[in-house]
Amino acid sequence: MGKIVVEVMVKPEILDPQGKAIKGSLARLGIENFVDVRQGKRFTLDTAGDVTEADLEAARQAAQTLLSNPIIEDVVAVKAVTEDQA
Amino acid sequence: MGKIVVEVMVKPEILDPQGKAIKGSLARLGIENFVDVRQGKRFTLDTAGDVTEADLEAARQAAQTLLSNPIIEDVVAVKAVTEDQA
């Protein structure tokens, strides 16, 4: 079995209210280390066999068409990973 | 400026309806490469200076207390990244 990770983040120029809310909550917890927080999505796509280039291409296509909204989000990574990185 | 990425996924034994829905949609798009799909969360935490061990420790604490629900989610990564990996 193989595994591909797709990572999607809100475009830097787009306001991320969720990230702002998290930053505020962290400060209330006494965690002041961070000047900005942003939240995105992470997907794992499992393949029956080892990951092939065709699988990676299918994951890139899925990332652009279904897993992200190209207007407000960037696909920041599409990569095969080992089981323990998953 | 430094950047830490925190990655959170639903525990393997927990049903992921969102992932199931995505898998179904992918099949309707003709993308049949994947036997399972799971969705999680990805956070970027920015620091004013370079990332220190104290920042990483704060990120681990944030991951356990605020960025994940330990009952149904696993924190799969807390790592400093370079700007282009963000």
Side-chain angles (χ1 to χ4, degrees), chain A residues 21-34 37, chain B residues 57-68:
Chain A
I22 292 168
K23 190 181 158 209
S25 300
L26 288 178
R28 281 191 294 280
L29 286 174
I31 298 175
E32 312 265 2
N33 304 59
F34 308 113
V37 177
Chain B
E57 191 45 42
R60 290 185 201 105
Q61 188 194 347
Q64 290 301 335
T65 54
L66 188 68
L67 305 180
S68 74

Side-chain angles (χ1 to χ4, degrees), chain B residues 13-58:
Chain B
E13 64 274 19
I14 303 282
L15 182 68
D16 176 9
Q18 240 169 333
K20 293 276 176 272
I22 291 168
K23 190 180 157 210
S25 301
L26 287 177
R28 281 189 294 281
L29 286 173
I31 298 176
E32 313 264 1
N33 304 60
F34 308 113
V35 297
D36 193 26
V37 177
R38 295 180 75 82
Q39 177 168 349
K41 297 177 284 192
R42 182 180 192 263
F43 302 91
T44 56
L45 308 170
D46 295 358
T47 55
D50 289 341
V51 172
T52 64
E53 182 49 36
D55 293 328
L56 280 169
E57 191 45 42

